[in-house]
Amino acid sequence: MQTSRPDLFSPRLPLLRREMFQRVGAGLGSLALTALLQQEAQAKPTAESLQQIAPRAKNVIFLHMVGAPSHLDLYDNKPRLKELTGELVPDHLWEGLRLAFIRDQPKLLGSKYEFKKHGNSGVELSELLPHLASVADELCVIKSLHTEHFNHAPAQLFFQTGFPRFGRPSLGSWVNYGIGSENEDLPGFVVLITGNVAGAGNSLWGSGFLPSRFQGIEFRTQGDPVLFLSNPEGVTPVDRKRMIDTINHLNQIQLADVGDPEIATRIAQYELAFRMQSAVPDLMEIDGETKETHEAYGTEPGKTSFANNCLLARRLVERGVRFVQLYDQGWDHHNNVFSNVKKKAEEVDRPIAALIADLKQRGLLDETLVVWGAEFGRTPMLQGNADEGVPANAGRDHHKDAYTVWMAGGGVKRGFTYGKTDEIGFHVVENPMHVNDFHATLLHLLGVNHEALTFKFQGREFRLTDVAGNVAHDIIA
């Protein structure tokens, strides 16, 4: 007598081995995901170890001027250099000096622009920055930064990752990894770009050996704010959610099988992307800002501009995004430095000043650290044919040994100038600050001990500041 096959869904009958794994695969995936997330949480430094000091800032808006502005024409006034314009750089400075492009002993080149002291603090700024002058009392100007690299890509990487070669996590990724975001519907680290991408590329906001969910996410002001964020034609939000649930179900099965933490990242990123479909369009819609706000920033809704990105930066930190990075390209002035730096200053001066004033008016400046800087500075010598005096199209080469950055808000002293260069702006002579010190200080302002923010990779603990870095306590309020 032939018997029928048992009902495999009857709770009273044993399951075949293959069928059992088919049924519990998703459950095993969930268990594996939970286990990996617990391992990651255990591997991360604890809040107690990181935040041994009270945070002065909650968020960072980092303005990176790609190509390196001439600080000597914007921030560091050198009357003596003006007097010496056209004379050869002294032999003792030229001997053994390596520059990116200058090969023959060059002539000195002072600025053609006037400098004035502003505000109650007397912070000195070039005439090219009239709007920034209106918020001079909010600035902490650091005139003594120095780096180790004089070519763009290595110096950009060093400025943003603390290492001159590819493969290390960026500053924003370290912050995102260490203290995370306050908004689960938006990334903890957002990048906005005007002009071409910097020479070092997207490694400047990459996560390196950290889990990739801590990398910066580039937002765009035209088209999809984030690539592939919107649904294709004919796909509804319900359809999209069903697809994500199905994909993540399959990812959980794969996670249970191979245990790759990047699969856990993929699951989390799919979920974040779905939530961003609602949060990002509203964020990027700046039409609703007041007429006064648009006039202050110089913004034009629907266009790509540095001004629009400054306004978006304020909207991002308002919504709890931890680290906002703005890149503005076009500051590499090897020729026509005076006309080119004037043009670029006109583009950024107004929106940066508006950003600082807007944050202050909204009560956000005390908790938001605004940083302005670049990968290095420019030489006090001219680049170009100087056989007959100073050419009209004179430029400046790269200079790594002394340049200017500034901070505002977020716990730094207001209306304060730190560090000093020599009479021609060649070397630091007071309160030198290395890029490692700059990073250590920035993390300190966020309440993070830079020596405790570590990640184990290839057998040893790594950190943003490597084995160096001292906090510049003198600039902290």
Side-chain angles (χ1 to χ4, degrees):
M1 180 177 176
Q2 192 175 28
T3 60
S4 61
R5 189 168 181 263
D7 180 4
L8 295 178
F9 290 92
S10 169
R12 298 181 180 180
L13 295 176
L15 291 176
L16 298 178
R17 181 174 178 273
R18 178 178 298 174
E19 290 159 343
M20 180 191 73
F21 280 107
Q22 286 175 342
R23 292 192 189 185
V24 302
L28 289 174
S30 298
L31 290 173
L33 175 60
T34 300
L36 281 170
L37 291 176
Q38 287 176 342
Q39 289 174 12
E40 182 182 298
Q42 292 169 358
K44 288 180 66 172
T46 64
E48 290 75 17
S49 67
L50 282 179
Q51 297 193 306
Q52 297 173 351
I53 37 104
R56 307 301 301 273
K58 292 172 57 179
N59 313 294
V60 176
I61 298 175
F62 198 119
L63 313 170
H64 186 147
M65 307 293 105
V66 177
S70 171
H71 59 293
L72 295 168
D73 296 295
L74 296 174
Y75 301 106
D76 201 3
N77 185 23
K78 295 298 170 188
R80 180 59 177 159
L81 180 60
K82 290 183 180 181
E83 294 174 6
L84 296 173
T85 295
E87 296 187 17
L88 286 175
V89 65
D91 291 342
H92 72 277
L93 294 178
W94 177 245
E95 290 172 3
L97 181 65
R98 291 183 62 205
L99 296 171
F101 292 96
I102 294 176
R103 294 293 177 264
D104 297 323
Q105 188 168 358
K107 294 180 178 179
L108 295 170
L109 179 65
S111 179
K112 64 179 287 186
Y113 296 110
E114 296 298 320
F115 284 71
K116 291 183 180 180
K117 295 182 179 181
H118 297 277
N120 296 323
S121 58
V123 167
E124 198 168 26
L125 299 172
S126 164
E127 63 180 285
L128 297 180
L129 302 170
H131 294 281
L132 195 63
S134 68
V135 292
D137 285 337
E138 304 298 332
L139 304 182
C140 177
V141 182
I142 301 164
K143 295 186 177 182
S144 54
L145 196 68
H146 58 100
T147 183
E148 298 178 9
H149 304 276
F150 58 69
N151 286 320
H152 289 291
Q156 288 163 4
L157 285 167
F158 196 68
F159 192 50
Q160 291 296 337
T161 74
F163 195 70
R165 295 186 289 279
F166 298 104
R168 294 290 181 91
S170 60
L171 171 61
S173 292
W174 277 114
V175 171
N176 194 16
Y177 164 70
I179 55 180
S181 179
E182 293 185 312
N183 189 330
E184 65 177 11
D185 296 332
L186 291 170
F189 178 18
V190 171
V191 177
L192 299 162
I193 300 172
T194 45
N196 297 326
V197 177
N202 59 12
S203 291
L204 296 177
W205 56 91
S207 57
F209 45 69
L210 294 177
S212 57
R213 66 191 182 94
F214 298 112
Q215 68 186 352
I217 304 299
E218 184 183 348
F219 279 20
R220 295 164 171 81
T221 53
Q222 290 185 331
D224 263 358
V226 179
L227 288 180
F228 312 114
L229 186 66
S230 62
N231 292 326
E233 187 177 351
V235 175
T236 68
V238 174
D239 295 333
R240 174 64 73 187
K241 185 65 169 72
R242 188 181 299 118
M243 282 189 280
I244 289 174
D245 288 344
T246 302
I247 290 169
N248 278 350
H249 172 76
L250 296 174
N251 280 331
Q252 287 174 339
I253 294 172
Q254 183 73 0
L255 180 64
D257 185 33
V258 300
D260 184 354
E262 280 300 300
I263 299 175
T265 289
R266 193 181 310 151
I267 293 169
Q269 294 295 68
Y270 270 121
E271 293 290 349
L272 174 60
F274 181 74
R275 297 193 299 272
M276 285 169 58
Q277 286 189 313
S278 298
V280 171
D282 174 67
L283 160 73
M284 303 296 286
E285 189 58 63
I286 65 172
D287 294 71
E289 295 284 346
T290 66
K291 179 182 177 181
E292 292 76 17
T293 298
H294 286 300
E295 288 176 349
Y297 281 87
T299 44
E300 296 182 70
K303 292 190 176 182
T304 298
S305 69
F306 182 78
N308 281 18
N309 286 349
C310 283
L311 179 52
L312 286 170
R314 187 218 81 202
R315 292 169 65 87
L316 283 160
V317 298
E318 272 185 318
R319 288 160 172 79
V321 174
R322 185 73 65 186
F323 201 101
V324 184
Q325 183 91 51
L326 274 64
Y327 288 98
D328 183 64
Q329 183 263 345
W331 292 91
D332 191 18
H333 301 150
H334 290 279
N335 53 51
N336 294 303
V337 62
F338 295 130
S339 59
N340 284 329
V341 76
K342 182 176 186 292
K343 177 184 175 183
K344 288 301 298 180
E346 288 174 350
E347 292 177 6
V348 306
D349 177 44
R350 180 179 175 186
I352 292 175
L355 172 62
I356 293 172
D358 197 8
L359 289 169
K360 184 175 182 179
Q361 186 271 330
R362 293 169 183 269
L364 294 171
L365 187 59
D366 286 342
E367 63 186 38
T368 302
L369 182 66
V370 182
V371 182
W372 184 99
E375 56 266 31
F376 41 64
R378 312 302 294 198
T379 56
M381 303 88 75
L382 70 84
Q383 180 181 349
N385 185 359
D387 292 338
E388 299 180 2
V390 177
N393 65 345
R396 296 189 190 275
D397 204 352
H398 309 166
H399 192 65
K400 68 180 181 63
D401 296 320
Y403 68 109
T404 300
V405 298
W406 58 256
M407 300 180 182
V412 296
K413 290 180 179 177
R414 298 178 175 181
F416 186 69
T417 299
Y418 180 82
K420 184 179 178 181
T421 55
D422 59 30
E423 62 180 5
I424 65 170
F426 196 97
H427 286 306
V428 174
V429 295
E430 184 180 296
N431 293 325
M433 180 185 286
H434 187 273
V435 168
N436 293 146
D437 306 328
F438 172 73
H439 288 157
T441 305
L442 193 152
L443 291 178
H444 183 90
L445 289 165
L446 289 167
V448 175
N449 176 359
H450 74 101
E451 294 180 342
L453 182 59
T454 62
F455 188 87
K456 191 170 185 177
F457 177 66
Q458 293 184 340
R460 81 167 176 93
E461 299 287 343
F462 284 85
R463 70 185 204 216
L464 171 66
T465 52
D466 198 33
V467 294
N470 295 297
V471 175
H473 290 281
D474 287 345
I475 75 168
I476 298 172

